Amino acid sequence: MLDAPSSEFPNTSSICVGSNATRVAKSRSTNTEMSEVRPFITSDVPVVAEMFQRILRKTSQSATSSLEIYLRELFLEAPDAQHDITSLIHQRDDGSVSGFVGVVPLALEFEGRPLRGALCGTMMVDGHKEDPFAGARLLRAFLAGPQDISLTETANDVSTAMWRKMNAAVLPDYSLEWIRVIRPAGFMVELAAADVSAARVFSPLARPIDAFIRRRPIDGEPHWSHFTSAPKGKLVDTDVDEDELLDLIPKLAAHYPMRPAWRRETLARIIVHARRKANYGPGVRRVVRTGTGHPVGLYIYYGDRGRIGRAFQVMALPGQEGAVIDNMIAHAASNGLVALRGRTQPALLNAMLGRRFAFVHASSSIVHARDPALIQPFLDGRAFFNGFAGESWCRLMGDAFD
Amino acid sequence: MTDPSTAEIRTFIVDNFLFGDENHPLTDDTSLIENDLIDSTGILELVAFLEQRFAIAVNDSDIVPANLDSIARISSFVGGRLGQSNSAAN
């Protein structure tokens, strides 16, 4: 059984009960009648940073200045910030902040038509159970914004139920977590270590077991520990730098009728944000090319030797998904990862079948639009969503702020 | 005699938040929050019901316990909104 991501990194669209719940309950009758939802401003940063630590990271450690700086940069100082699509605060009538929803604008285009999109994440409410009005108001206020399409990538069960009540569409094909086991014994040790880190003392024992398993002849049926090696001589798999990524990503997303319409500086900023995810391990960014140098796909993952790696983005030209996935798994195996996990995209699902991938639902990708025609491409799998076109590029997911 | 809107609101709450259990002790003044009868999702469901059934607009600032924490408060809020609509029409 796989852990939901929330056990290892904040499910940033969760609504959770914070430590101020009791205080909220006692003051609810007098403290919420004149409460308001308003735009997030600079002076809110320290209290939102503390809420993030307490509610989403579930730690009693105070927020660091680097976290505050990042929240300001992400939600207030983005170069493509828009005055009418902003992050929101729920404020009690005594002036205290009890809720926050982080909003990032995302320019989109659908069959050439420009659209305004907004990504909603980092949704948190202090004392959610005792003051259920705060979460409801924050979500309503966000969805009532001027954007054509509202999106979230990390909704937990509570948030998902709320989005559903607002007539949003949950996207099953974008909401699954895939996992590909590479070294079964090492993988079992890592699963145990997720609950009890001392379980890693068994890692040295797992290695010879995995080596033995991998030496067994394949009897016609693929095993969990086997994978298709990258086809030699046909595709070349090399590191890619950020400048090249900046050119490649729009090209590899171009065949999706619904896709981001990134400005070059916006995408450059996103790539820089995705550079570091200290909690996941070092990053690997590779482009897959034909023998003549023509790029057919790319993959980005993070992971330490002996651990479960996290794929952040897999992109491929139509028909090349399987080859890109094979290259990625082969690279992760050569890097000593025991397994690789990531978020599904409909374009990858077909290629994953028959390659011994397992799937589990962890959090939901959801879309809301007043015009149903704008939801359809997401339901049909014709939208490029998740990864660079989602929330998971930001450092709030997977990075440390020490 | 019970206001028709109060009866409809009660029915909605019993059907949606009490799984149709008519025996649950629910007075017009029972706090929906303090008795754990409603959560954030329920509030969104309730607001959608009020907007659709009574054709009223519920603003963000209306979504507070003073308006929505009991059957009596909801009924009073709806009555006020309907009264405003009628006044505007006249």
Side-chain angles (χ1 to χ4, degrees), chain A residues 87-100:
Chain A
S87 299
L88 299 169
I89 286 288
H90 183 271
Q91 181 176 296
R92 304 184 187 105
D93 63 353
D94 65 1
S96 60
V97 170
S98 63
F100 172 76

Side-chain angles (χ1 to χ4, degrees), chain A residues 178 182 237 274-275 277 280-286 298-305 307-314 327-337 339-342:
Chain A
W178 57 257
I182 298 170
D237 186 334
R275 186 188 290 161
K277 294 198 181 286
Y280 298 168
V284 169
R285 298 181 297 197
R286 307 276 287 180
L298 63 84
Y299 58 85
I300 299 173
Y301 73 82
Y302 309 86
D304 276 315
R305 187 171 192 82
R307 303 288 179 89
I308 300 171
R310 289 181 182 273
F312 159 69
Q313 187 80 75
V314 183
N327 275 266
M328 176 176 67
I329 299 301
H331 192 274
S334 70
N335 250 356
L337 271 60
L340 198 57
R341 64 190 283 184

Side-chain angles (χ1 to χ4, degrees), chain A residues 28 33 128 132-133 137 140, chain B residues 33-34 40 47 58 60 63 66:
Chain A
R28 179 181 50 77
E33 304 304 340
H128 158 61
F133 291 87
R137 291 179 66 178
R140 262 179 65 102
Chain B
I33 299 171
E34 288 178 3
S40 299
V47 169
V58 180
D60 170 65
I63 305 175

Side-chain angles (χ1 to χ4, degrees), chain A residues 15 25 28-29 32-37 128-141 158 161-163 165-167, chain B residues 16 31 33-34 36 38-45 47-48 51-52 57-69 73:
Chain A
I15 291 185
R28 179 181 50 77
S29 60
T32 59
E33 304 304 340
M34 298 297 289
S35 58
E36 65 169 338
V37 173
H128 158 61
K129 192 174 178 188
E130 290 74 17
D131 180 13
F133 291 87
R137 291 179 66 178
L138 280 168
L139 183 59
R140 262 179 65 102
V158 174
M162 292 172 64
W163 279 75
K165 295 301 175 192
M166 298 299 292
N167 297 318
Chain B
N16 290 277
S31 168
I33 299 171
E34 288 178 3
D36 285 334
I38 195 166
D39 57 13
S40 299
T41 306
I43 288 169
L44 292 172
E45 204 170 351
V47 169
E51 288 184 323
Q52 287 166 17
V58 180
N59 301 320
D60 170 65
S61 56
D62 296 327
I63 305 175
V64 291
N67 293 331
L68 302 176
D69 191 32
R73 289 182 182 192

Side-chain angles (χ1 to χ4, degrees), chain A residues 230-289:
Chain A
K232 300 282 186 237
K234 292 181 180 172
L235 293 172
V236 184
D237 186 334
T238 57
D239 285 340
V240 59
D241 64 25
E242 291 179 358
D243 284 341
E244 203 173 354
L245 272 180
L246 200 48
D247 292 328
L248 273 175
I249 292 168
K251 286 178 185 166
L252 293 171
H255 61 281
Y256 290 91
M258 175 74 80
R259 61 181 184 271
W262 294 295
R263 291 188 304 156
R264 195 169 170 81
E265 55 268 43
T266 303
L267 183 56
R269 170 176 168 265
I270 289 172
I271 291 170
V272 168
H273 281 251
R275 186 188 290 161
R276 208 182 91 107
K277 294 198 181 286
N279 296 336
Y280 298 168
V284 169
R285 298 181 297 197
R286 307 276 287 180
V287 59
V288 182
R289 300 177 191 280

Side-chain angles (χ1 to χ4, degrees), chain A residues 42 98 158 180-181 265 268 343 370:
Chain A
T42 304
S98 63
V158 174
R180 178 63 168 86
V181 177
E265 55 268 43
R343 195 63 174 265
R370 296 176 192 90

